[in-house]
Structures are given as structure tokens and as C-alpha cells.
């Protein structure tokens, strides 16, 4: 009798009468924070720097490429959070000049960000080499940060103060022109043209939308330009309407401070300089909070890390996550390089967000990994010693580690988006 029962159970299993083993519903999104200090032409040996910082960027891209699903890993989507390169090519873009904007001299900031043709020959060329490593192998997004614009000038209505007292006294920068960005990441360029997963674009690719399928769900991703103007937000709303029911992730450069506040950096407040641009709180009020499909927002720009959760107008949580490591410079200290105030490298740190969609409450395990030190933050004994004083001095070492290694419980995700398929 026992043998017969066993055979019947086996037959039922193969006939599909009992559930099959649970599928693997996990995948990873790689989030690449500001890479400007790696690609910066002044941070290369050709300019007298101690080492070629661009190797850290290329190592990051090589690591991501090696761990793509297409190469046997589990990375199913890549999002770059802006400031791919450092410098600009113009004093002011023609569009803002035609609207009557004026620039003023800024002795400190002009010295750091003087326009140069090396943006094209060195910085954008390095970015191209990096993104070619993943091109055609994975859906990905790149959003423009303020440094990726053609020009970034000090606005005449917000000049530098006669005496330096704080960051705001340096004057307010404003970016304009996207021809440099479009030359590499435009919607008509080879990275994205005719790719089935690149489903929409606006402003030549400054705003873009992608879809990818992972963990039993099809996700919509929307990338927004720096301090996205109303036209960008209106376009993004239409894209969501065209993809009803899809869990949606938004990436943008400027959104949240390391204290978790949706306020702009006083040195580059897009809305304060140009009423056509929206500041972070306005982006939340006008767009993110209004669309229940958006459950996750990723951003860079503000130096450090933070996470906050707010309910949208439907009463559902939206997780908002900041990562930007551009100020970190332990690698430069190790090499004996002299760094001025406010200068950094980045030390190879990037974000790996592993989604587990198979559990009753889906989760995201957020980890921070350095391709330079080849370690996760949680496995780096000197991590807090290196970085805490500059980023979160009031935290304990344990709490500081927790800023870069934590779990998000996606409460209510199933109710909003259904079960995996």
C-alpha cells in the first residue's frame, strides 16, 4: 500500500496535480552613483595625477558586465544616477542665453569647472568605453546630472558672496544644454536605438523609459533629467498611463539630501535659478506622489546616503534611496595623491539592490560594494573610520554601516501589483 501511494504521488507530481517547486524570484539592479571624479580628465596620469582614476570607473562597468544575467549573473537592470563626467564645453548654452540668462565670474568655481574640449576627447570617451561593456546585454538607463550638461555657469541673480562663509556663499550654478549628453546617450544612439526594452524618450533622450522582466514581474523604469521641468513630468505621466499596472521605478539625479530631505543643494537649485525647473519637493508633489505605480525612487547628486519612505496620495509607500560616493578619497590617500577641499574620487563604491520577489512580502537587500577594494561595505573593517566623519559623524559605527547595508520590506507590494507570474 505504501509503495502504491508513493507511485501515485509521483505520478501526480509529473502530471502537474501538485505545485512545482517555487521558482527563483530574485534578481539584482545595479545602481551606479556619480562617476564624474573617475572620468575627470584632471584625475589621470596624463595630467600629473598619481593614478588613472578612470580605471575605477572601467572596473565598475567590467564588474557589472561580468555579473549580468546574460553572462551567468543575476543583474537584470542597470541605472546610472547622473554626473557621468565632470566638465562642460560651453560658458552658457544658446537656449538659456536666448532667454536672457546671464553668467557672472566665480573665481573659485570657474577654476574647477572651466569649459574644455577634453570633455569630449577624454571624459565622454571614457564613458563610452565603459557603457559599451554592457550595451546589448541588459536594459539600462542613464540620466543627466548637472555636470553632464553642455554648460554650468554661475547665475547673475545668485552671485558669489564677497567672503566665503558656507557653501551657499559660493554662488549658484545652473546647467543648460544637453547636446553632450545626447551625443552618447541620445535616444537615436546605438545604445538605445531599436532596442525593444527602450520604450520611450523625451527631449532627445534626456528623459527616457525602459521595461524589463525579472522576478516574475515586468517593471517600468523612468529616468528623469536634472530638476525635471514640467514638460518632463507631463511626459512621464503619459508613459505611466501607457503602461498601466506595472511596478515603476524612477531614477533622477537631484532628489534627496543625505539627511533624507527633499531639498535642493543651495549651490545648484534649478528652480531658484529657472522657474521652468522643478526642485525635489516639487517633483514629489507634482509627479511621484500622484502615481500609485511608482514604488521606488533612486537618486545621486547629494554626497552621502539616505533612505526615506512616504505614502503617496493613494496611501501606499514609496521608498526613496540616495547613494553618492563621489567625495570618498581613501584611494587617493593610499596613493599619496594631494586632494583639495571638496575633492574626491569615489573609491569604486556602487549599489547592488537584490530583489527577492518570491517571499510573502517581497524584499530588497541593499548592499554597497567597492570594485576597487573588492569588498562590501559590511566586510570592510575601516569603513566607518574612512568615511563616517565626513558623511554621518553623529552615527555609531554600526549605524553608519547600516546606511549602506540594509533590507527594505516592500510592504503591500502584492496588493498593489499582484502575484509573480
Amino acid at each position: 500500500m505504501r509503495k502504491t501511494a508513493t507511485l501515485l504521488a509521483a505520478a501526480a507530481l509529473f502530471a502537474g496535480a501538485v505545485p512545482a517547486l517555487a521558482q527563483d524570484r530574485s534578481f539584482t539592479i545595479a545602481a551606479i552613483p556619480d562617476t564624474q571624479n573617475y572620468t575627470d580628465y584632471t584625475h589621470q596620469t596624463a595630467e600629473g595625477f598619481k593614478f588613472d582614476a578612470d580605471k575605477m570607473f572601467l572596473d565598475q562597468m567590467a564588474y557589472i558586465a561580468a555579473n549580468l544575467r546574460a553572462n551567468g549573473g543575476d543583474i537584470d537592470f542597470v541605472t546610472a544616477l547622473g554626473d557621468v563626467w565632470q566638465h562642460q564645453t560651453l560658458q552658457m548654452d544658446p537656449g538659456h542665453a536666448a532667454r536672457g540668462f546671464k553668467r557672472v565670474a566665480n573665481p573659485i568655481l570657474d577654476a574647477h569647472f572651466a569649459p574644455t574640449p577634453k570633455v569630449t576627447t577624454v571624459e565622454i570617451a571614457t564613458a563610452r568605453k565603459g557603457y559599451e561593456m554592457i550595451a546589448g546585454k541588459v536594459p539600462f538607463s542613464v540620466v543627466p546630472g548637472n555636470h553632464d550638461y553642455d554648460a554650468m555657469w554661475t547665475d547673475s541673480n545668485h552671485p558669489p558672496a564677497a567672503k566665503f562663509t558656507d557653501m551657499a556663499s559660493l554662488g549658484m550654478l545652473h546647467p543648460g544644454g544637453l547636446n553632450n549628453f545626447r551625443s552618447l546617450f541620445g535616444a537615436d544612439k546605438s545604445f538605445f536605438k531599436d532596442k525593444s526594452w527602450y520604450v520611450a524618450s523625451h527631449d532627445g533622450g534626456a528623459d527616457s523609459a525602459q521595461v524589463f522582466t525579472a522576478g516574475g514581474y515586468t517593471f517600468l523604469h523612468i529616468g528623469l533629467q536634472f530638476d525635471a521641468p514640467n514638460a518632463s513630468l507631463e511626459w512621464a505621466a503619459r508613459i505611466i498611463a501607457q503602461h498601466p499596472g506595472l511596478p515603476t521605478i524612477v531614477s533622477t539625479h537631484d532628489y534627496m539630501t543625505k539627511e533624507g530631505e527633499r531639498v535642493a543643494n543651495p549651490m545648484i537649485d534649478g528652480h531658484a535659478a529657472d522657474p521652468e525647473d522643478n526642485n525635489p519637493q516639487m517633483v514629489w508633489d507634482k509627479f511621484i506622489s500622484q502615481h500609485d505605480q511608482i514604488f521606488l525612487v533612486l537618486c545621486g547628486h547629494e554626497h552621502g546616503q539616505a533612505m526615506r519612505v512616504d505614502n503617496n496620495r493613494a496611501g501606499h509607500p514609496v521608498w526613496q534611496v540616495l547613494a553618492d560616493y563621489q567625495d570618498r578619497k581613501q584611494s587617493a590617500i593610499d596613493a599619496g595623491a594631494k586632494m583639495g577641499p571638496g575633492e574626491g574620487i569615489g573609491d569604486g563604491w556602487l549599489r547592488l539592490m537584490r530583489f527577492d520577489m518570491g517571499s510573502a512580502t517581497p524584499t530588497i537587500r541593499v548592499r554597497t560594494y567597492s570594485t576597487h577594494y573588492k569588498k562590501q561595505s559590511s566586510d570592510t573593517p575601516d569603513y566607518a573610520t574612512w568615511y563616517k566623519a565626513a558623511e554621518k559623524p553623529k552615527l555609531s559605527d554600526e549605524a553608519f554601516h547600516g546606511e549602506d547595508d540594509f533590507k527594505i520590506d516592500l510592504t503591500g507590494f502584492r496588493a498593489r501589483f499582484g502575484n509573480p507570474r
Side-chain angles (χ1 to χ4, degrees), residues 66 82 109 146 322 349 380 393 403:
L109 297 181
N146 49 292
L322 162 72
W349 297 100
T380 305
E403 297 273 297

Side-chain angles (χ1 to χ4, degrees), residues 57-290:
F57 167 70
L58 296 174
D59 284 349
Q60 284 189 329
M61 299 307 296
Y63 176 86
I64 291 170
N67 288 280
L68 297 177
R69 181 80 62 181
N71 291 328
D74 72 345
I75 295 176
D76 283 318
F77 189 73
V78 179
T79 177
L81 303 176
D83 280 358
V84 182
W85 49 81
Q86 183 81 287
H87 291 90
Q88 295 73 50
T89 51
L90 300 176
Q91 294 278 4
M92 181 181 288
D93 65 293
H96 279 87
R99 292 174 56 205
F101 282 79
K102 305 292 183 184
R103 69 180 298 274
V104 294
N106 191 325
I108 295 176
L109 297 181
D110 287 350
H112 284 281
F113 305 125
T116 171
K118 292 182 181 180
V119 176
T120 301
T121 59
V122 178
E123 298 181 3
I124 296 178
T126 298
R128 182 186 303 278
K129 186 176 180 181
Y131 283 93
E132 283 175 345
M133 296 183 193
I134 66 172
K137 300 175 183 177
V138 66
F140 71 96
S141 164
V142 183
V143 299
N146 49 292
H147 284 265
D148 303 320
Y149 285 70
D150 302 341
M152 190 166 65
W153 70 92
T154 301
D155 182 64
S156 62
N157 292 321
H158 303 85
K163 182 178 180 181
F164 175 79
T165 56
D166 54 24
M167 298 305 287
S169 68
L170 289 174
M172 185 180 293
L173 296 169
H174 193 65
L178 284 161
N179 288 334
N180 290 343
F181 183 81
R182 295 189 194 102
S183 74
L184 186 57
F185 299 118
D188 62 344
K189 301 306 177 184
S190 60
F191 286 153
F192 305 124
K193 186 178 180 180
D194 298 327
K195 300 296 189 293
S196 60
W197 47 264
Y198 190 87
V199 295
S201 65
H202 172 257
D203 203 2
D207 307 300
S208 63
Q210 302 79 27
V211 294
F212 66 97
T213 299
Y217 292 89
T218 297
F219 293 84
L220 173 65
H221 175 272
I222 294 176
L224 293 174
Q225 60 187 275
F226 179 82
D227 286 357
N230 287 335
S232 297
L233 302 184
E234 291 162 3
W235 166 84
R238 292 195 298 271
I239 297 306
I240 289 178
Q242 293 167 13
H243 296 81
L246 296 190
T248 300
I249 302 167
V250 172
S251 293
T252 193
H253 185 59
D254 176 24
Y255 182 76
M256 187 166 67
T257 70
K258 64 185 176 67
E259 288 76 31
E261 299 173 319
R262 287 190 295 262
V263 296
N265 186 315
M267 282 183 59
I268 184 158
D269 184 337
H271 181 70
D274 186 345
E276 290 190 5
D277 296 340
N278 286 295
N279 64 34
Q281 186 61 43
M282 295 167 74
V283 172
W284 167 265
D285 292 338
K286 292 182 179 182
F287 174 61
I288 292 169
S289 67
Q290 303 301 304

Side-chain angles (χ1 to χ4, degrees), residues 276-407:
E276 290 190 5
D277 296 340
N278 286 295
N279 64 34
Q281 186 61 43
M282 295 167 74
V283 172
W284 167 265
D285 292 338
K286 292 182 179 182
F287 174 61
I288 292 169
S289 67
Q290 303 301 304
H291 298 278
D292 194 32
Q293 287 177 221
I294 301 172
F295 74 98
L296 179 65
V297 179
L298 305 176
C299 60
H301 184 58
E302 296 279 1
H303 308 173
Q305 57 289 106
M307 198 270 282
R308 67 178 288 168
V309 187
D310 295 282
N311 286 344
N312 60 23
R313 69 171 184 172
H316 293 140
V318 181
W319 292 267
Q320 301 142 84
V321 183
L322 162 72
D324 175 15
Y325 304 114
Q326 64 178 282
D327 272 2
R328 296 183 172 185
K329 51 190 172 185
Q330 186 61 39
S331 57
I333 294 171
D334 294 342
K338 293 183 179 180
M339 306 292 288
E343 283 190 287
I345 295 294
D347 294 353
W349 297 100
L350 55 81
R351 275 280 171 86
L352 300 171
M353 307 181 73
R354 183 174 175 82
F355 289 63
D356 179 2
M357 310 306 292
S359 55
T361 298
T363 62
I364 306 173
R365 183 59 189 264
V366 178
R367 295 187 184 275
T368 305
Y369 180 77
S370 170
T371 52
H372 176 70
Y373 290 110
K374 296 180 173 58
K375 291 181 180 179
Q376 293 182 9
S377 60
S378 55
D379 297 327
T380 305
D382 293 324
Y383 195 71
T385 302
W386 289 346
Y387 306 126
K388 189 183 74 169
E391 295 174 13
K392 296 286 181 78
K394 295 181 181 180
L395 294 183
S396 67
D397 287 2
E398 181 181 5
F400 183 72
H401 273 277
E403 297 273 297
D404 275 320
D405 187 339
F406 58 95
K407 187 178 77 166

